[in-house]
Amino acid sequence: MKHSAQNVIIFITTAAGEQAHTIANLLLQHRKVACVNILPGVTSLFWWNGTIDAAEESLLIAKTTASRIDDVVRLVKESHRYDIPEVIAMPIVGGNCDYLEWIDGEVS
């Protein structure tokens, strides 16, 4: 049986520590995502203000539907410490249909 809704994974990086939990809880409480995994201890290297910079961060992996991407971006930007927070959505092309349908049922 094929699942019809388009589900996505959204990657969000945050400062290491409590900010990851704050943003994850915000997204869950507003029912914009069904699940968030928090991976602490991510080392990020990136260009910022003309130079290569580095930061210890947490990576959030949020599961939701494509129709909620804009809501997730808005909530993250409103609550994030960074000037330009990373919020990147990627389609889920397949998987356990029961799980994908669960995602659909949990977001509003």
Side-chain angles (χ1 to χ4, degrees):
M1 181 177 206
K2 188 168 171 84
H3 179 71
S4 60
Q6 185 182 7
N7 298 104
V8 297
I9 292 175
I10 299 181
F11 296 106
I12 303 161
T13 51
T14 68
E18 192 58 35
Q19 186 180 35
H21 289 273
T22 299
I23 290 175
N25 282 316
L26 178 71
L27 294 172
L28 288 162
Q29 289 168 356
H30 283 85
R31 298 195 72 90
K32 302 305 177 191
V33 302
C35 175
V36 181
N37 305 110
I38 299 174
L39 284 69
V42 174
T43 301
S44 297
L45 301 171
F46 51 91
W47 280 100
W48 189 251
N49 293 327
T51 186
I52 296 175
D53 202 349
E56 290 299 314
E57 298 182 304
S58 292
L59 174 64
L60 282 65
I61 303 172
K63 277 72 78 173
T64 190
T65 59
S67 64
R68 299 295 174 247
I69 294 171
D70 290 343
D71 293 335
V72 170
V73 171
R74 179 183 51 78
L75 283 171
V76 170
K77 288 175 76 173
E78 288 173 358
S79 60
H80 208 291
R81 291 185 212 156
Y82 294 172
D83 294 334
I84 305 173
E86 175 185 0
V87 185
I88 299 172
M90 299 181 70
I92 297 173
V93 297
N96 178 352
C97 289
D98 295 333
Y99 183 79
L100 299 177
E101 289 170 4
W102 170 79
I103 291 172
D104 298 341
E106 294 303 322
V107 297
S108 60

